[in-house]
């Protein structure tokens, strides 16, 4: 199970508002859950993101509380699914996608 550049996560853990991934090349990525939810690759979320923002939209009750992940099961050999506290679980994050998100946070690498 590797991303295209040959790296694998050697450990993944939840630290408060972040998913912390240790990659096999020695980098440590801290991805906020918000970032992950905003990057949810499922069709429903992509559609939602493509819509123009409605300034008069009323927030749903579950949008008023910060979303939290409740589980992150492995899907097949190359992906993880994030199950959110609002019940949303359609997003499958491939290792490649997680790697790309990790690269985007390079400035925040610890
Ligand atoms: Zn989604």
């Amino acid at each position: 199970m590797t991303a295209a550049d040959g790296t694998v996560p050697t450990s993944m853990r939840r630290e408060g508002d972040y998913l912390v991934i240790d990659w096999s090349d020695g980098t440590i990525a801290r991805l906020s859950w918000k970032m992950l939810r905003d990057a949810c690759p499922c069709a429903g979320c992509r559609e939602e993101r493509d819509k123009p923002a409605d300034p008069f939209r009323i927030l749903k009750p579950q949008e008023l509380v910060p979303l939290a992940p409740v589980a992150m099961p492995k899907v097949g050999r190359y992906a993880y699914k994030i199950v959110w506290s609002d019940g949303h679980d359609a997003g499958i994050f491939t290792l490649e996608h997680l790697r790309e998100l990790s690269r985007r946070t390079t400035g925040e690498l610890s």
Side-chain angles (χ1 to χ4, degrees), residues 37 39-46 49 84 88-92:
R37 177 62 181 239
C40 180
C42 85
C45 289
R46 270 187 315 202
R49 283 196 293 271
W84 299 94
H88 186 68
D89 69 349
I92 308 281

Side-chain angles (χ1 to χ4, degrees), residues 47-104:
E47 211 170 276
E48 208 55 44
R49 283 196 293 271
D50 288 345
K51 278 190 212 156
D54 175 2
F56 297 106
R57 194 174 70 97
I58 293 165
L59 289 175
K60 298 182 200 116
Q62 67 264 32
E63 289 178 287
L64 298 172
V65 288
L67 281 168
V70 293
M72 199 170 164
K74 220 172 183 174
V75 177
R77 296 175 56 206
Y78 301 100
Y80 288 87
K81 170 160 109 170
I82 301 181
V83 181
W84 299 94
S85 49
D86 63 352
H88 186 68
D89 69 349
I92 308 281
F93 290 76
T94 61
L95 276 187
E96 205 44 55
H97 191 187
L98 290 171
R99 183 70 183 159
E100 194 215 305
L101 292 171
S102 297
R103 273 192 217 105
R104 262 193 242 164

